[in-house]
Amino acid sequence: MSSKVQVTPIGPQLSLGEGPHWDEKTKTLYYVDIVESAIHRYVPHKNEHSHCKLKGKTVSFVVPVEGKEDSEFVVGLERDVVHVVWDLKSNKPTATKVLCSAEEDRGRNRLNDGKVDPTGRLWAGTMLHLGEVDNYPFSSHLYSFDKGSKPKRHLSEIAISNGLAWSPDHTKFYYIDSFKFKVQAYDYDKSSGTISNERTVFDFKANNVEGFPDGMTIDSEGKLWVAVYSGAKVIRVDPDTGKLLYTLPIPSWEVTSVVFGGPNLDELYVTSANQFKNNPKDKYPQPGQTFKVTNLGVKGTPSVSIKLN
């Protein structure tokens, strides 16, 4: 990594920033504030920021709809996958429509991290609301949602479903359950949208990484970038060797997720939270801030928009 790496705050301080998605077509960053039920939009070349608040307790992810106007999105709203129309300027949506729901029989659960696979299929997992995970661990699941059909369950006995990524050649799927302190890999069948052959590719405990693995993205070299919650950092790991390659300090204790963006996909956008009173704010003075990281000398892979047709 370059010695000239810069970490610059952007946008407002959030309660629980998450789910960053870079829209390559419009050169726009989208992300959410989970507990404020808000979608955020940042256009770097215009230094323009706007947000939209939805009705619900939590909004966990936001992805643009492929082939539609720039104002159409799919979001995770509590346990629902929802189609949202937003004019990108006002603080309320123009229209919302529930496409499908997950775990309607599990009132304590909500959708968490979500991402679109190389074919345009949405994947998202669930978790208990904050404060309840310790009482009912490993009661959540990982699903895919194919063009509005019923959710397809892939994994069970999940505590906090988090980071998702696919290898550049689309043959591997990487996944994080935060309470397992590991990054798991699976063989990924692009045509059927199935995963198999689970194995561990990076172990936080074995590598003495303090904190919880959270959101994740992958660069063009096939290396994973993992946000470390309660760790004030993002780490770059090699899923082929299981080695820690690089640690990027972030001036926020609760780092939640990452995505590559910018005109050349060489900027890393990092979200964070401001949730707990015991945050060591004297050491990490920008809780809940979103950051743009430049001069890493690495390029990412494009975010994928969702296909609804």
Side-chain angles (χ1 to χ4, degrees):
M1 299 296 110
S2 169
S3 60
K4 298 181 180 180
V5 172
Q6 292 186 323
V7 180
T8 306
I10 60 169
Q13 183 187 58
L14 305 182
S15 296
L16 181 46
E18 254 286 10
H21 177 103
W22 177 260
D23 184 30
E24 202 167 9
K25 182 179 68 172
T26 61
K27 303 296 185 287
T28 300
L29 177 72
Y30 293 99
Y31 55 108
V32 302
D33 188 332
I34 290 181
V35 298
E36 298 298 331
S37 298
I39 302 168
H40 287 258
R41 167 181 172 268
Y42 174 68
V43 187
H45 64 276
K46 297 180 180 179
N47 195 27
E48 181 178 285
H49 181 270
S50 58
H51 76 279
C52 169
K53 190 170 176 62
L54 301 177
K55 292 183 178 179
K57 293 181 180 179
T58 59
V59 172
S60 52
F61 59 82
V62 54
V63 291
V65 177
E66 183 179 293
K68 298 293 183 179
E69 297 296 326
D70 297 339
S71 57
E72 295 191 35
F73 306 89
V74 167
V75 306
L77 182 62
E78 296 194 27
R79 289 185 299 280
D80 297 332
V81 177
V82 180
H83 179 252
V84 173
V85 180
W86 175 37
D87 65 10
L88 307 181
K89 295 182 180 180
S90 61
N91 60 8
K92 293 182 180 180
T94 304
T96 61
K97 178 184 177 181
V98 175
L99 300 176
C100 59
S101 302
E103 304 192 349
E104 295 172 281
D105 60 333
R106 293 174 177 261
R108 289 188 175 96
N109 279 12
R110 66 165 176 85
L111 289 168
N112 198 41
D113 207 357
K115 198 170 288 187
V116 177
D117 74 10
T119 70
R121 181 190 295 113
L122 174 68
W123 292 64
T126 56
M127 63 170 286
L128 287 162
H129 284 277
L130 288 175
E132 297 190 19
V133 178
D134 290 335
N135 297 325
Y136 305 93
F138 306 109
S139 61
S140 300
H141 306 85
L142 174 68
Y143 299 91
S144 63
F145 305 82
D146 196 357
K147 300 177 183 177
S149 61
K150 290 184 178 181
K152 179 179 179 180
R153 185 178 292 180
H154 295 273
L155 298 174
S156 300
E157 298 183 0
I158 302 299
I160 300 181
S161 185
N162 257 315
L164 310 97
W166 288 262
S167 61
D169 65 1
H170 304 163
T171 63
K172 299 182 185 71
F173 169 66
Y174 300 106
Y175 176 68
I176 288 170
D177 178 352
S178 292
F179 270 27
K180 294 178 181 175
F181 297 95
K182 297 176 180 178
V183 180
Q184 306 290 132
Y186 301 82
D187 296 334
Y188 167 68
D189 188 307
K190 184 176 178 180
S191 59
S192 64
T194 56
I195 58 175
S196 60
N197 188 26
E198 179 183 278
R199 63 268 192 197
T200 298
V201 294
F202 186 79
D203 188 315
F204 268 48
K205 300 292 187 181
N207 284 275
N208 297 313
V209 178
E210 294 185 4
F212 296 85
D214 204 319
M216 173 172 58
T217 192
I218 193 165
D219 64 31
S220 60
E221 299 174 11
K223 306 301 187 287
L224 297 168
W225 293 74
V226 183
V228 184
Y229 190 87
S230 297
K233 56 185 171 284
V234 175
I235 58 174
R236 187 189 192 216
V237 305
D238 188 335
D240 295 322
T241 65
K243 292 183 178 180
L244 173 63
L245 302 176
Y246 176 68
T247 298
L248 171 67
I250 300 293
S252 178
W253 181 241
E254 299 168 82
V255 182
T256 56
S257 197
V258 287
V259 72
F260 281 98
N264 301 310
L265 290 179
D266 59 355
E267 300 169 352
L268 188 70
Y269 288 90
V270 182
T271 54
S272 75
N274 184 20
Q275 284 284 284
F276 297 112
K277 293 181 180 179
N278 63 348
N279 271 344
K281 295 178 182 177
D282 55 333
K283 292 179 64 177
Y284 310 106
Q286 295 177 295
Q289 190 65 61
T290 305
F291 303 91
K292 179 170 73 171
V293 184
T294 54
N295 299 327
L296 282 169
V298 175
K299 289 189 176 182
T301 56
S303 301
V304 181
S305 297
I306 190 170
K307 292 182 180 178
L308 291 183
N309 298 320

